[in-house]
Structures are given as C-alpha cells and as structure tokens.
C-alpha cells in the first residue's frame, strides 16, 4: 500500500456508536462517507495519486504472488540479520521467534549514540535509516526491508550502514556485514519466476 494511504473499516457497533458520539470531527466524518459510499463517490476530493499507487501495488503483488512476496521478505530479513551477525553487534530482538521480516533493529555499543549512525548515513551517503524509538533512542537504529525491495537495494543500505557505523566510531570492519548478507542471498537465490525463460535454451 502506498505511504499515506490506509484502509478504514467500521463494525456495526462503531457505526451505531457514532450516532451518540460527542467527539468533534475535524476532517474525516464517517457520516459524510456513508452518504456518498452507495454511489461509489467520496465526500472529499480523493488523493488520486495514492489510489493509482494502490492499483499499481496490487498489480505488483498479483504478478509476484503473495507467497513469493512473503518468502522474499523473509530472505531479505535473513540476509540483514546475517550482516548484523557479521558486524558482531546484537539485535534488539533477543528471541529469534520474534524477528521481524520487515525491519532489523541493531543495538550500538555502549557509549555510541545510534542517532549519529543515522545522521552520518543521511548526511554522507544519502541513506535513510530509522532511529531507535522511545526507550532505545540513542541505543539502536533500524534498517527497513519492506515493500518492493530486492537484494541489491538492501545490499546498498547495509553497505551504507557499515560506513555510517565506522564514521560514528563503531569498531567494525568494512565489508564484515555486507559479505555475510551477500553470501546468504547468493546461496538462497532462485530465478525470478517471470524470468525463467531467460535461462532456458
């Protein structure tokens, strides 16, 4: 789904509760939507570029297949976790059962502000990493790997993160993480289903 777009659903109970609600409605009023919904219209000017983005996202999802998308995200995440292992740094998630296939959160060594890694990545390498949120702010940073992403895109992010960590004073060796990710992806890669004909004949 494109960034900025969300699906909203209301139960019968919620629809009934709106009748007695005294909460102020600033922008989105479900009553307005319910009046125009039967005709397929919208009460406000729709953000068409987001709807076009949704249509394209669904087409990509259909082309690749949901199971393949889930498997791709898992492979990307495993490669990212292999990189972290190569760096010798801990993940915030301590139990592998709870590892996310959409995001890898890396702890920085004691005394190193993880926000400096994020700042270096952005300022020097045009790479957007996520800061640690709430209790782990300054103690961890995030590498996202969700959406229309592949190994080469994530390899770029991991390489940039390595350089930014060295810039922030983290004692890792350049190449120690990305090499582990690349090894994992190369060993587990398969031909993209829509491109099998390229290798035939």
């Amino acid at each position: 789904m494109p960034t900025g777009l969300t699906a909203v659903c209301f139960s019968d109970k919620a629809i009934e509760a709106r009748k007695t609600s005294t909460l102020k409605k600033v922008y989105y009023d479900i009553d307005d939507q319910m009046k125009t919904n039967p005709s397929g219209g919208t009460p406000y000017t729709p953000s068409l570029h987001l709807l076009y983005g949704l249509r394209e996202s669904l087409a990509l999802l259909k082309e690749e297949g949901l199971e393949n998308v889930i498997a791709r995200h898992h492979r990307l995440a495993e490669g990212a976790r292999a990189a972290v292992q190569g760096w010798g740094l801990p993940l915030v998630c301590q139990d592998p059962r709870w590892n996310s296939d959409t995001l890898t959160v890396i702890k920085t060594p004691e005394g190193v502000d993880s926000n400096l890694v994020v700042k270096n990545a952005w300022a020097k390498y045009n790479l957007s990493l996520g800061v640690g949120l709430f209790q782990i702010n300054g103690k961890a940073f995030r590498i996202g790997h969700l959406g229309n992403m592949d190994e080469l895109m994530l390899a770029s992010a991991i390489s940039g993160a390595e350089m930014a960590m060295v810039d922030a004073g983290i004692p890792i060796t350049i190449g120690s993480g990305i090499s582990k990710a690349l090894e994992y992806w190369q060993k587990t890669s398969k031909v993209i289903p829509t491109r099998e004909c390229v290798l035939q004949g």
Side-chain angles (χ1 to χ4, degrees), residues 130-190:
V131 297
L133 301 175
F134 305 107
Q135 296 95 331
I136 61 170
N137 185 270
K139 300 175 184 176
F141 68 94
R142 299 172 292 137
I143 299 175
H145 33 78
L146 176 66
N148 189 22
M149 179 178 275
D150 60 26
E151 295 86 351
L152 297 181
M153 291 178 194
L154 187 50
S156 176
I158 290 169
S159 297
E162 280 191 3
M163 294 186 289
M165 284 190 285
V166 170
D167 293 338
I170 297 175
I172 63 165
T173 302
I174 293 288
S176 60
I178 188 58
S179 62
K180 297 296 183 188
L182 295 176
E183 285 173 15
Y184 175 81
W185 291 327
Q186 192 279 322
K187 287 177 185 172
T188 60
S189 69
K190 296 179 181 174

Side-chain angles (χ1 to χ4, degrees), residues 63-65 68-69 190-198 200:
E63 179 183 348
E64 187 175 356
N68 292 329
V69 170
K190 296 179 181 174
V191 176
I192 297 168
T194 57
R195 300 186 189 164
E196 291 167 339
C197 62
V198 174
Q200 294 173 354

